[in-house]
Amino acid sequence: MSFLELLSPLPPGLNLSLTLLSLLTSGISASVGIGGGTLLIMVMAQIMPAAALIPVHGMVQLGSNAGRAALTWPHIDRRVIAVFLPGVIVGALMAAWLLVRLPSGVLELCIAGFVLLSCWGPSLPKRSLGNKATFAAGAVTTLLSSLVGASGPLVGAFIKHSQTARLSRVATFAACMSLQHLSKAFVFGVAGFVFREWLGLMLAMIVAGLLGTWLGLKLLRGLSDQRFDTLFKWMLTLLALRLIWMGVSRLSA
């Protein structure tokens, strides 16, 4: 039995493809600030069992985001993290308890609307970026992340308004997403998911993701704040348009 066959229940070719995709998508997230995780889960959804999709994606994204947070550690906004973390804990407890998903389609449209408003609408008032809003963002997005795996654009939209410098935005977003994905180990562990069967693939994708993060950060440091802001805004917009397409498709199904 080859090394690739030992990684997961998937065929060796798919294990290799997912490992290389992890490298690519981590590079995208590190250089543009967002988007890699959503692209990754879109591909994984086509080839992985539904029961394994969100927990495996969550652990891979934990490795990718934690690596990006470690490499940009000095730029993380600790004030945001200190308030976001308690919200993550509350959201994870709610997700472990909640058994019923929100109506399919409606959730995607709501997230897309908020993201588009944050990108192209007026700036959020300062009171909406305070401690209460940060706590609420942590709780709500963690709950959504555990249920549908679609919280990245929502967290990115929030971070876009709370952080202005490109490195601070990437670093704080990575730290927030690391906390959310870490909570999935608890949520899906409680639900009985067997991580051991997918451990090899997760580790391979995490290592590839760290390499992609290192390459992406090299590209990021060559971008101006203005160019990065433009790329970040358009990446959020594309993700929102994809959510609209998904929402309409599910509502009309």
Side-chain angles (χ1 to χ4, degrees):
M1 183 176 290
S2 68
F3 170 73
L4 290 174
E5 289 177 306
L6 294 172
L7 293 181
S8 82
L10 297 175
L14 291 181
N15 287 332
L16 177 60
S17 298
L18 286 174
T19 301
L20 294 176
L21 183 65
S22 179
L23 186 151
L24 172 65
T25 54
S26 291
I28 291 173
S29 289
S31 57
V32 183
I34 196 174
T38 301
L39 176 59
L40 182 61
I41 200 171
M42 286 171 59
V43 177
M44 291 175 70
Q46 310 304 314
I47 59 178
M48 289 189 64
L53 176 61
I54 295 180
V56 172
H57 175 266
M59 294 305 98
V60 172
Q61 286 298 289
L62 170 60
S64 177
N65 282 282
R68 191 156 66 251
L71 290 172
T72 56
W73 182 261
H75 302 278
I76 295 174
D77 189 332
R78 271 72 168 176
R79 183 198 63 80
V80 170
I81 300 304
V83 184
F84 193 84
L85 176 57
V88 168
I89 295 172
V90 170
L93 292 173
M94 291 171 61
W97 171 79
L98 190 62
L99 299 178
V100 180
R101 288 184 56 169
L102 295 175
S104 182
V106 175
L107 178 64
E108 288 83 354
L109 292 175
C110 290
I111 294 175
F114 177 82
V115 171
L116 290 175
L117 179 64
S118 73
C119 286
W120 304 104
S123 297
L124 294 175
K126 289 189 179 298
R127 65 177 178 275
S128 65
L129 301 175
N131 290 344
K132 291 182 180 179
T134 303
F135 173 86
V140 172
T141 58
T142 299
L143 174 62
L144 297 180
S145 181
S146 296
L147 295 178
V148 297
S151 71
L154 198 56
V155 177
F158 176 78
I159 296 298
K160 175 182 179 294
H161 287 281
S162 67
Q163 308 296 317
T164 55
R166 64 190 188 282
L167 279 170
S168 179
R169 191 177 292 177
V170 168
T172 305
F173 176 78
C176 288
M177 295 306 294
S178 295
L179 295 173
Q180 283 198 345
H181 290 306
L182 180 61
S183 74
K184 291 180 183 178
F186 163 75
V187 172
F188 289 97
V190 169
F193 180 75
V194 182
F195 286 95
R196 184 177 62 256
E197 295 179 358
W198 300 87
L199 184 60
L201 178 60
M202 289 189 292
L203 290 175
M205 292 178 70
I206 287 171
V207 171
L210 291 174
L211 176 58
T213 293
W214 180 75
L215 294 172
L217 288 175
K218 280 189 169 295
L219 177 60
L220 171 65
R221 289 185 169 91
L223 295 174
S224 66
D225 282 342
Q226 182 177 5
R227 180 168 295 181
F228 172 81
D229 187 65
T230 300
L231 289 172
F232 191 82
K233 181 184 292 187
W234 278 106
M235 183 63 76
L236 278 173
T237 300
L238 290 174
L239 295 176
L241 292 176
R242 171 185 169 270
L243 287 171
I244 290 174
W245 178 79
M246 288 176 58
V248 172
S249 299
R250 291 175 178 177
L251 283 174
S252 59

